[in-house]
Amino acid sequence: MEKLTLSEAEWRIRLSPEQYHVLREAGTERAFTGRYNDHKGDGLYVCAACELPLFDSADKYDSGSGWPSFSQAIAPDHVTDHNDASHGMIRIESRCARCDGHLGHVFPDGPRPTGLRYCMNSVSLDFRPREQ
């Protein structure tokens, strides 16, 4: 996959302050505040920074966590996993494979058949309705 690499100044121009904080500084939006937590549309969730398709609405479910949750990425090479030992926890961070933007974390407590819960920040995503 071709990488998108921009300077921090270019990212600040391209992203809102909240998007920059989450996508470039690995921030987190508050639970139950994101626009996609209760979103039910049919389509694709893409990276808000580079528009790479990340998740299909068919794999979205209500985990009760307060963040949009998905049972799998749209393709194995679209989301990368990284060890994260910040905030006194050991977790797996999920990033966009194209722009390396922080999306959220993936946990092994999701529904079958994957058993995964991709717990994503709404601000790191944009939604594209499925074409009819």
Side-chain angles (χ1 to χ4, degrees):
M1 170 168 314
E2 187 175 330
K3 299 288 185 180
L4 174 63
T5 305
L6 301 176
S7 70
E8 291 310 304
E10 290 170 313
W11 282 122
R12 286 189 185 278
I13 291 168
R14 186 179 196 136
L15 302 171
S16 72
E18 186 180 22
Q19 287 174 321
Y20 183 88
H21 176 63
V22 171
L23 286 157
R24 306 311 309 163
E25 299 176 325
T28 302
E29 64 193 8
R30 289 190 349 252
F32 301 101
T33 64
R35 65 183 170 180
Y36 296 128
N37 183 47
D38 293 322
H39 189 254
K40 306 282 192 247
D42 180 33
L44 301 179
Y45 292 86
V46 303
C47 177
C50 72
E51 299 186 352
L52 180 70
L54 300 171
F55 300 98
D56 191 301
S57 63
D59 299 312
K60 187 175 185 293
Y61 68 99
D62 183 4
S63 68
S65 67
W67 290 275
S69 297
F70 304 87
S71 59
Q72 62 186 350
I74 201 164
D77 63 341
H78 285 215
V79 176
T80 59
D81 293 340
H82 305 269
N83 291 327
D84 177 4
S86 65
H87 306 290
M89 298 177 271
I90 306 252
R91 301 177 290 175
I92 303 296
E93 176 190 13
S94 295
R95 293 185 202 159
C96 173
R98 180 183 290 154
C99 70
D100 204 37
H102 172 76
L103 304 171
H105 292 86
V106 61
F107 301 95
D109 60 2
R112 292 178 187 247
T114 67
L116 299 175
R117 173 173 53 101
Y118 284 87
C119 189
M120 303 292 101
N121 290 284
S122 289
V123 73
S124 67
L125 305 172
D126 279 329
F127 180 75
R128 303 289 185 262
R130 203 174 314 276
E131 294 182 16
Q132 300 294 326

